Amino acid sequence: MTRLLEIEGLTAGYGPVQALFGISMTLDEGEVVALMGRNGMGKTTTIRCISRLLPHSGGSLRVAGQDVAALSAPRVARLGVGLVPEGRRCFAPLTVAENLTVAARPGAWDMARVCALFPRLQERMGQVSRTLSGGEQQMLAIGRALMTNPRLLILDEATEGLAPVVRQEIWAGVRQLKAEGLSILLVDKSLKEIASVADRAVIVERGSTVWQGQIAALGPDLTDRYLGV
Ligand code: ATP
């Protein structure tokens, strides 16, 4: 079993403002792990560190066994980290097909497989991505990440702000990816959907890991205390 993520005592911040004070977590190949916590607790910052979009100031961060401290963001992407950032960024003036093509790296994923996962994209191949609906843009953002043939897919708030029916399509896609054995790190607010797909959860509070365990062990005591639901 390959350990895709091994994070120990991670600290990071934005200029003088420290945001992470000690994040520790692991993710093994084939696992789906949910990174949970209230707003502003450090989930996105952790993901930025994993992707090397933000340098960490302390602790250690290994991706597929490699210490990433000296690596650039593109190098980490080549190690197999496929990030779908918050806000579903695509190249707005490009078509769906172009967005997918520019992301492509050799491997098992191609446009046909992305369209099998999200059939709506098939109908929109020639459409410029800025004119897609929010849900379609999110599907495209996930499709772009898959075209890089990641070993680890990271989804940051992939269903935020979307209509319920579209959310369901995206969750169905995520469940299919899990069934195919893809390793996934996800941030989302829907406990119900997380419970349906994640193997384990990691809870962060004020920049530190405060709990991690099997998703089945995430009872009301923990969700009340750390997630405010
Ligand atoms: P959310 O669900 O609201 O996105 P989060 O758990 O992902 O929350 P982060 O976005 O990681 O939280 O934020 C962690 C802390 O870092 C917060 O205190 C936030 O205000 C701060 N922070 C985030 N981005 C920046 C930035 N670009 N500049 C300065 N501080 C930031």
Side-chain angles (χ1 to χ4, degrees):
M1 180 68 70
T2 307
R3 180 141 290 185
L4 287 184
L5 267 186
E6 187 161 18
I7 303 176
E8 192 58 54
L10 191 74
T11 61
Y14 300 90
V17 183
Q18 194 170 345
L20 302 184
F21 293 86
I23 299 287
S24 299
M25 63 167 291
T26 59
L27 187 152
D28 289 335
E29 192 133 55
E31 272 194 311
V32 177
V33 175
L35 191 56
M36 305 176 82
R38 293 193 187 91
N39 286 344
M41 290 302 177
K43 305 178 297 292
T44 297
T45 304
T46 301
I47 284 171
R48 286 196 190 123
C49 288
I50 295 168
S51 321
R52 294 294 292 159
L53 300 174
L54 183 73
H56 53 282
S57 53
S60 71
L61 209 175
R62 299 179 86 80
V63 172
Q66 278 210 47
D67 187 341
V68 301
L71 303 183
S72 64
R75 275 296 306 281
V76 172
R78 283 199 296 276
L79 284 178
V81 175
L83 172 65
V84 182
E86 214 174 358
R88 56 189 88 107
R89 265 162 239 120
C90 301
F91 295 123
L94 300 189
T95 64
V96 169
E98 287 164 346
N99 260 284
L100 293 173
T101 308
V102 295
R105 280 209 308 266
W109 281 93
D110 57 15
M111 270 199 254
R113 193 167 165 203
V114 169
C115 291
L117 186 69
F118 294 125
R120 273 185 196 227
L121 291 180
Q122 179 73 63
E123 304 153 23
R124 310 256 172 228
M125 273 299 160
Q127 192 171 323
V128 166
S129 77
R130 102 162 52 79
T131 63
L132 297 174
S133 72
E136 289 159 357
Q137 286 186 22
Q138 185 63 67
M139 291 171 197
L140 178 57
I142 297 172
R144 281 176 48 87
L146 292 171
M147 291 292 283
T148 70
N149 283 284
R151 290 179 78 181
L152 171 64
L153 181 69
I154 304 184
L155 300 173
D156 193 356
E157 308 261 16
T159 63
E160 194 173 34
L162 301 179
V165 57
V166 185
R167 285 178 189 228
Q168 286 315 313
E169 285 177 47
I170 289 176
W171 283 115
V174 173
R175 280 189 287 268
Q176 185 173 330
L177 293 171
K178 178 194 164 84
E180 290 170 7
L182 188 63
S183 313
I184 304 173
L185 177 64
L186 62 90
V187 170
D188 204 273
K189 295 203 169 62
S190 169
L191 264 177
K192 185 170 157 260
E193 302 298 346
I194 284 175
S196 79
V197 69
D199 300 301
R200 285 193 303 116
V202 176
I203 302 181
V204 296
E205 177 149 276
R206 280 184 235 105
S208 295
T209 305
V210 289
W211 185 85
Q212 55 184 311
Q214 297 296 317
I215 204 78
L218 188 65
D221 48 332
L222 288 164
T223 54
D224 288 354
R225 179 162 171 199
Y226 294 120
L227 307 173
V229 291

